[in-house]
Amino acid sequence: MRVIAGLVRILIVCLLASLSRECIAADGPRQRSILVLEEADFRSPFYLEIFAGIRAAAKRNGNAHTVIFGESLDLARFPGQDYEESLIGHLKTKYAQRPIDVIVSIGVSSAKFLQRRKQEIWPAAPVVYGFVPDLPETRALFLPNSTAVFARVRPAQLLTAARAVVPDLTRVVLVGEAWKNPLTYGHWKQDFAAAMPDLEVTDLSGAVLRDVRKQVAALPDRSAILTSAMYSDGEGTYYSPAAALARVAENANRPIIITSDTFLGRAGVGGFLLLPEIIGREAGELAMRILDGESPQSIAPFGGNNVKPVFDSRELKRWNVDETNLPPGSEIRFREPSFWAQYYWHSLIVASVMLVQALMITVLLRERRLRFVAEVEARQRMSELAHMNRRATAGEMSVSLAHELNQPLAAILINAETAQQILKHPTPDLREIKDILDHIRRDDQRAAEVIGRLRSFLKRDPTERRELDLNATVGEVFRFLSVQALTHDVELVTQPSSAEIRVKGDKVQLQQAILNLVVNGMDAVAHLPDDRRRVVGRTSLADGNLAVVSIADTGDGILADKVTEIFKPFFTTKAQGMGIGLSIAHTIIEAHGGRIWAENAPGGGAVFHVSLPLAAAR
Ligand code: ADP
């Protein structure tokens, strides 16, 4: 029984042991801690950025979770032994249950505080000093188990910046804290005097802000204002340094050289600026190395890379500063963005729209050109066809033309023979001779007209559009065909409208179209008895803006289902037909913006209508 009880006990112990091991494993090692002690107020932008830098370093470098505590000592605004004693009591109570692994001390006041009181609260914690100048006085403050990263704007750097901005500098005006902190600012005045013996120094540090504002408004040329951070003025009024500086800048008539990144944009032209975020990051990185096991003594204090020449582009412009004079590696902020950078998207959209538009115009121009070329080609083809058609018609008509020419030629011959006879007489009647010669001249003109008409008919004129009298145009066609009509015993009748009808077009082409219709009409009546062979040409106005030519015949009419087909090229019902007359007429009329159609008249025969826009209606 005892043996069993012993075994159970052993089992319980083992179980508890394994459980506690698991608990430890779940809890993990204790989290590491950094305490940041700042000399001033955490809420000022400069210290806020330092703290942000420390936090960023802890986040990036830590192998384990690190908690960061922060305390603003604010000793400048709250001096005196009583406050310090109460502060010590407060910190002791507050951190009694919170062991601190590393202290990051920011600023000289904080270093001094640790030198006085660290032993009482955190005797074993190593210290990283940040935002302290590399001066023997500062190093004297460092405790044994510590290291440091220095940060300081040297007076020589302030002068370099001042000279870059005011090349012929003769006077510097010092504006800032009442130099209560000799380790940070105490050397400035002597340093400036030493750096440039012939430089005049006006020291307004520690003056009342009101007076400073008054004085900086009337500074001589060739001077520059050098500033440090002003936390309080000679009256003991506390300020946020950036706000105090902005008030100085409101009145200043000379450029202001500043020392902190957090002032740029609010006051001052720029200078060698402390970069608080980097100051914090550098100190934070040191703290993390110590947390990871490095001994502080093994890390020698070193100068950080936390000061950089930075300038405000707008202020540089205001003071006409030549940018090439600025210290090498200077950064220029607040540059006005270039037009391209400012309107990048606008420009891109406008450019795209213009490009698309240009493309569309190009495409449209190309299409227009192609269309134009096609139109010219079509016209050429049409003109060629018309020419062929005219030749065919002319061939058919050669007989009647010969007849028409015969008349005047025969008359000329008779007149000439008569004149010869008269001249044989001893006293010839000269009046008679003159008369005969007049006749000969008239007949000759008639013959020339006939030939001229034929020539112009056969000639392939380039298309030209002129305003013309439609009645006269149709009349000429009928006159031209009158001989042929006579030979075939066809009666040609014209019924012109009483009003003048003017259309715009190519006379030869329009006459060609009408001629084809009349010739077809003559063909259609050819087989009829003599008294029924008739073709009538009529012109009229329709709808107020159209001219209509109708060619009607007394033939058998058009086959009912072919009324539209007859206009197709090579459609013919004639043994010798070519089938192009109507298709040419159709092409010509359409090219003139008109319409051509055919129908059968109720009383028999076919009627072809051509409608054309009136010249005035175009
Ligand atoms: P073609 O006269 O050489 O046949 P067209 O193109 O001038 O060529 O005419 C085509 C066809 O239209 C003719 O063959 C004919 O059948 C018909 N046609 C044309 N005009 C008339 C008309 N006045 N009366 C009846 N049919 C016609």
Side-chain angles (χ1 to χ4, degrees):
M1 196 62 195
R2 261 219 198 121
V3 176
I4 293 171
L7 274 174
V8 168
R9 217 174 297 144
I10 287 165
L11 260 174
I12 290 171
V13 169
C14 285
L15 199 67
L16 283 175
S18 76
L19 267 178
S20 72
R21 249 203 318 275
E22 260 174 29
C23 285
I24 288 165
D27 200 20
R30 181 180 65 80
Q31 62 186 7
R32 309 174 320 169
S33 62
I34 296 175
L35 171 64
V36 181
L37 280 189
E38 300 212 306
E39 62 179 358
D41 186 357
F42 267 130
R43 283 156 295 188
S44 83
F46 189 83
Y47 291 95
L48 211 64
E49 283 200 26
I50 290 183
F51 196 80
I54 296 171
R55 212 197 321 251
K59 219 176 199 176
R60 215 174 40 204
N61 298 297
N63 302 329
H65 179 65
T66 305
V67 65
I68 304 174
F69 302 112
E71 295 296 335
S72 290
L73 298 177
D74 219 351
L75 295 170
R77 286 195 291 183
F78 301 95
Q81 197 55 37
D82 289 352
Y83 166 67
E84 190 168 306
E85 290 310 323
S86 72
L87 187 62
I88 295 290
H90 166 73
L91 292 174
K92 267 186 183 166
T93 316
K94 189 172 174 183
Y95 290 94
Q97 302 305 316
R98 293 277 177 273
I100 297 300
D101 295 319
V102 181
I103 296 171
V104 173
S105 161
I106 298 298
V108 175
S109 306
S110 174
K112 282 179 170 176
F113 172 79
L114 283 177
Q115 193 191 37
R116 289 196 302 271
R117 313 301 296 255
K118 174 172 175 279
Q119 196 59 26
E120 296 168 47
I121 324 172
W122 303 287
V127 182
V128 171
Y129 295 101
F131 190 42
V132 283
D134 184 7
L135 293 170
E137 299 90 318
T138 330
R139 286 177 180 259
L141 298 173
F142 295 167
L143 293 164
N145 191 21
S146 72
T147 185
V149 51
F150 298 112
R152 186 193 183 201
V153 179
R154 283 176 290 108
Q157 288 175 312
L158 270 148
L159 272 181
T160 306
R163 286 216 189 86
V165 175
V166 185
D168 51 356
L169 187 75
T170 57
R171 177 188 292 271
V172 292
V173 182
L174 307 182
V175 170
E177 184 72 20
W179 313 130
K180 276 184 199 146
N181 188 341
L183 290 188
T184 316
Y185 306 116
H187 292 263
W188 278 30
K189 203 172 164 187
Q190 299 90 300
D191 282 351
F192 289 129
M196 201 173 161
D198 51 348
L199 194 73
E200 290 176 65
V201 180
T202 304
D203 188 3
L204 298 181
S205 56
V208 177
L209 182 59
R210 227 180 10 261
D211 298 336
V212 175
R213 274 163 56 85
K214 220 175 281 167
Q215 295 218 38
V216 294
L219 294 176
D221 291 346
R222 301 164 71 188
S223 61
I225 302 163
L226 311 188
T227 61
S228 66
M230 184 193 262
Y231 289 93
S232 64
D233 71 355
E235 278 181 338
T237 311
Y238 289 100
Y239 297 101
S240 123
L245 207 55
R247 299 208 59 204
V248 174
E250 272 168 17
N251 281 25
N253 71 337
R254 296 299 303 155
I256 300 175
I257 306 300
I258 51 174
T259 52
S260 168
D261 190 22
T262 47
F263 301 156
L264 198 75
R266 299 189 67 181
V269 63
F272 284 83
L273 307 187
L274 287 161
L275 307 171
E277 207 269 340
I278 294 180
I279 291 173
R281 201 143 11 114
E282 288 171 342
E285 273 160 13
L286 278 185
M288 297 310 290
R289 280 166 65 183
I290 293 167
L291 284 180
D292 287 343
E294 267 186 75
S295 148
Q297 289 95 332
S298 68
I299 308 169
F302 61 95
N305 191 16
N306 45 35
V307 172
K308 193 182 173 194
V310 187
F311 293 87
D312 183 332
S313 149
R314 300 162 300 186
E315 288 279 312
L316 290 175
K317 218 177 263 174
R318 176 181 166 196
W319 300 108
N320 282 327
V321 179
D322 180 357
E323 285 188 19
T324 56
N325 283 348
L326 297 179
S330 290
E331 182 187 331
I332 296 174
R333 296 209 194 133
F334 309 112
R335 265 200 205 285
E336 293 265 299
S338 66
F339 177 84
W340 182 241
Q342 205 171 353
Y343 296 106
Y344 180 75
W345 284 110
H346 303 71
S347 312
L348 210 67
I349 290 167
V350 170
S352 314
V353 167
M354 281 170 71
L355 194 75
V356 169
Q357 211 172 34
L359 275 174
M360 275 168 66
I361 289 171
T362 313
V363 168
L364 286 175
L365 282 177
R366 205 182 121 74
E367 272 200 355
R368 204 179 101 96
R369 203 184 138 57
L370 288 176
R371 230 183 148 140
F372 177 74
V373 169
E375 217 166 87
V376 167
E377 278 175 2
R379 275 200 203 147
Q380 257 168 11
R381 266 201 303 276
M382 187 183 77
S383 147
E384 270 158 23
L385 269 175
H387 186 63
M388 261 173 66
N389 182 237
R390 273 200 292 272
R391 274 186 181 288
T393 317
E396 250 178 56
M397 290 188 314
S398 55
V399 182
S400 49
L401 277 169
H403 172 76
E404 200 177 358
L405 280 174
N406 259 346
Q407 265 190 337
L409 289 176
I412 289 169
L413 185 67
I414 291 168
N415 278 323
E417 282 170 357
T418 316
Q420 272 174 342
Q421 292 305 320
I422 293 173
L423 284 171
K424 278 179 188 164
H425 201 273
T427 52
D429 185 347
L430 290 178
R431 264 201 339 208
E432 190 84 4
I433 296 282
K434 191 176 165 287
D435 236 26
I436 291 171
L437 286 175
D438 279 348
H439 275 112
I440 291 177
R441 226 172 116 238
R442 227 180 13 252
D443 287 333
D444 181 72
Q445 262 172 1
R446 247 179 79 197
E449 268 171 28
V450 171
I451 290 169
R453 226 160 44 220
L454 181 69
R455 271 224 189 115
S456 89
F457 186 66
L458 290 174
K459 204 166 73 191
R460 187 162 27 142
D461 288 333
T463 308
E464 54 173 6
R465 302 258 160 114
R466 293 226 179 101
E467 201 172 305
L468 43 93
D469 178 348
L470 192 64
N471 286 336
T473 310
V474 174
E476 271 177 36
V477 175
F478 274 72
R479 256 199 312 286
F480 184 74
L481 290 171
S482 57
V483 178
Q484 198 184 353
L486 211 64
T487 347
H488 293 99
D489 283 326
V490 178
E491 186 189 357
L492 285 188
V493 182
T494 52
Q495 295 176 349
S497 73
S498 52
E500 190 189 35
I501 302 177
R502 299 195 74 78
V503 294
K504 231 178 192 177
D506 181 324
K507 190 175 169 189
V508 175
Q509 284 188 5
L510 286 177
Q511 285 184 331
Q512 173 71 60
I514 295 160
L515 183 137
N516 289 356
L517 301 180
V518 181
V519 169
N520 274 346
M522 284 169 33
D523 284 350
V525 297
H527 64 285
L528 296 175
D530 291 359
D531 59 333
R532 281 186 53 202
R533 296 183 197 159
R534 188 144 49 95
V535 177
V536 181
R538 196 174 297 127
T539 57
S540 58
L541 283 167
D543 299 339
N545 61 351
L546 286 179
V548 180
V549 181
S550 307
I551 309 294
D553 61 60
T554 48
D556 299 337
I558 307 152
L559 296 172
D561 55 337
K562 304 289 185 210
V563 177
T564 50
E565 212 174 317
I566 51 175
F567 292 100
K568 289 184 181 159
F570 310 113
F571 176 88
T572 183
T573 52
K574 300 173 193 168
Q576 304 297 319
M578 285 172 73
I580 57 169
L582 286 181
S583 103
I584 284 172
H586 182 255
T587 314
I588 290 173
I589 299 306
E590 284 225 321
H592 281 74
R595 209 160 71 80
I596 183 168
W597 70 102
E599 61 184 355
N600 288 320
V607 190
F608 284 79
H609 302 281
V610 168
S611 74
L612 291 166
L614 289 176
R618 280 183 178 244

Short mmCIF file of all heavy atoms in Angstrom, two decimals, residues 338-350:
data_model
loop_
_atom_site.label_atom_id
_atom_site.label_comp_id
_atom_site.label_asym_id
_atom_site.label_seq_id
_atom_site.Cartn_x
_atom_site.Cartn_y
_atom_site.Cartn_z
N SER A 338 7.70 71.01 -60.37
CA SER A 338 7.74 71.50 -61.75
C SER A 338 6.34 71.37 -62.35
O SER A 338 5.48 70.64 -61.83
CB SER A 338 8.72 70.65 -62.56
OG SER A 338 8.20 69.36 -62.67
N PHE A 339 6.12 72.09 -63.41
CA PHE A 339 4.81 72.03 -64.08
C PHE A 339 4.45 70.57 -64.38
O PHE A 339 3.34 70.12 -64.14
CB PHE A 339 4.86 72.82 -65.38
CG PHE A 339 3.57 72.74 -66.16
CD1 PHE A 339 2.51 73.58 -65.87
CD2 PHE A 339 3.40 71.78 -67.16
CE1 PHE A 339 1.32 73.48 -66.56
CE2 PHE A 339 2.22 71.68 -67.85
CZ PHE A 339 1.19 72.54 -67.55
N TRP A 340 5.45 69.84 -64.86
CA TRP A 340 5.23 68.45 -65.25
C TRP A 340 4.84 67.61 -64.05
O TRP A 340 3.89 66.81 -64.11
CB TRP A 340 6.48 67.92 -65.94
CG TRP A 340 6.35 66.51 -66.44
CD1 TRP A 340 7.10 65.45 -66.06
CD2 TRP A 340 5.40 66.02 -67.38
NE1 TRP A 340 6.68 64.32 -66.72
CE2 TRP A 340 5.64 64.64 -67.54
CE3 TRP A 340 4.37 66.59 -68.12
CZ2 TRP A 340 4.91 63.83 -68.39
CZ3 TRP A 340 3.63 65.77 -68.97
CH2 TRP A 340 3.92 64.43 -69.10
N ALA A 341 5.57 67.83 -62.90
CA ALA A 341 5.27 67.04 -61.71
C ALA A 341 3.90 67.41 -61.16
O ALA A 341 3.13 66.55 -60.73
CB ALA A 341 6.34 67.29 -60.65
N GLN A 342 3.57 68.73 -61.22
CA GLN A 342 2.32 69.20 -60.65
C GLN A 342 1.12 68.75 -61.46
O GLN A 342 0.10 68.38 -60.92
CB GLN A 342 2.37 70.73 -60.61
CG GLN A 342 1.49 71.32 -59.54
CD GLN A 342 1.77 72.82 -59.41
OE1 GLN A 342 2.68 73.36 -60.02
NE2 GLN A 342 0.97 73.49 -58.62
N TYR A 343 1.28 68.82 -62.77
CA TYR A 343 0.13 68.50 -63.63
C TYR A 343 0.37 67.22 -64.41
O TYR A 343 -0.01 67.15 -65.58
CB TYR A 343 -0.16 69.67 -64.56
CG TYR A 343 -0.57 70.91 -63.83
CD1 TYR A 343 0.31 71.98 -63.70
CD2 TYR A 343 -1.82 71.01 -63.24
CE1 TYR A 343 -0.06 73.12 -63.00
CE2 TYR A 343 -2.19 72.14 -62.53
CZ TYR A 343 -1.31 73.19 -62.43
OH TYR A 343 -1.68 74.31 -61.74
N TYR A 344 1.06 66.26 -63.79
CA TYR A 344 1.43 65.04 -64.51
C TYR A 344 0.21 64.37 -65.15
O TYR A 344 0.17 64.14 -66.35
CB TYR A 344 2.12 64.09 -63.53
CG TYR A 344 2.55 62.79 -64.16
CD1 TYR A 344 3.67 62.75 -64.99
CD2 TYR A 344 1.84 61.62 -63.94
CE1 TYR A 344 4.06 61.57 -65.58
CE2 TYR A 344 2.23 60.43 -64.53
CZ TYR A 344 3.33 60.42 -65.34
OH TYR A 344 3.71 59.26 -65.93
N TRP A 345 -0.82 64.12 -64.31
CA TRP A 345 -1.98 63.38 -64.81
C TRP A 345 -2.78 64.22 -65.80
O TRP A 345 -3.23 63.72 -66.84
CB TRP A 345 -2.87 62.91 -63.66
CG TRP A 345 -2.24 61.73 -62.99
CD1 TRP A 345 -1.69 61.70 -61.74
CD2 TRP A 345 -2.03 60.44 -63.55
NE1 TRP A 345 -1.16 60.46 -61.49
CE2 TRP A 345 -1.36 59.66 -62.59
CE3 TRP A 345 -2.35 59.85 -64.79
CZ2 TRP A 345 -1.00 58.35 -62.80
CZ3 TRP A 345 -2.00 58.53 -65.00
CH2 TRP A 345 -1.33 57.81 -64.02
N HIS A 346 -2.92 65.54 -65.47
CA HIS A 346 -3.66 66.41 -66.38
C HIS A 346 -2.99 66.39 -67.76
O HIS A 346 -3.63 66.22 -68.79
CB HIS A 346 -3.67 67.85 -65.88
CG HIS A 346 -4.25 68.01 -64.50
ND1 HIS A 346 -3.61 67.56 -63.38
CD2 HIS A 346 -5.41 68.56 -64.09
CE1 HIS A 346 -4.34 67.84 -62.33
NE2 HIS A 346 -5.45 68.43 -62.74
N SER A 347 -1.63 66.57 -67.69
CA SER A 347 -0.89 66.64 -68.96
C SER A 347 -1.04 65.33 -69.73
O SER A 347 -1.22 65.33 -70.94
CB SER A 347 0.59 66.89 -68.70
OG SER A 347 0.73 67.95 -67.80
N LEU A 348 -0.95 64.23 -68.95
CA LEU A 348 -1.02 62.92 -69.60
C LEU A 348 -2.38 62.75 -70.29
O LEU A 348 -2.45 62.29 -71.44
CB LEU A 348 -0.84 61.84 -68.54
CG LEU A 348 -0.19 60.56 -69.05
CD1 LEU A 348 1.25 60.83 -69.45
CD2 LEU A 348 -0.24 59.48 -67.98
N ILE A 349 -3.46 63.16 -69.59
CA ILE A 349 -4.80 63.00 -70.16
C ILE A 349 -4.95 63.89 -71.39
O ILE A 349 -5.40 63.44 -72.45
CB ILE A 349 -5.89 63.33 -69.09
CG1 ILE A 349 -5.90 62.22 -68.03
CG2 ILE A 349 -7.27 63.46 -69.73
CD1 ILE A 349 -6.68 62.54 -66.79
N VAL A 350 -4.51 65.16 -71.25
CA VAL A 350 -4.63 66.08 -72.39
C VAL A 350 -3.84 65.54 -73.59
O VAL A 350 -4.33 65.51 -74.72
CB VAL A 350 -4.15 67.50 -72.01
CG1 VAL A 350 -4.04 68.39 -73.23
CG2 VAL A 350 -5.12 68.12 -71.02
#
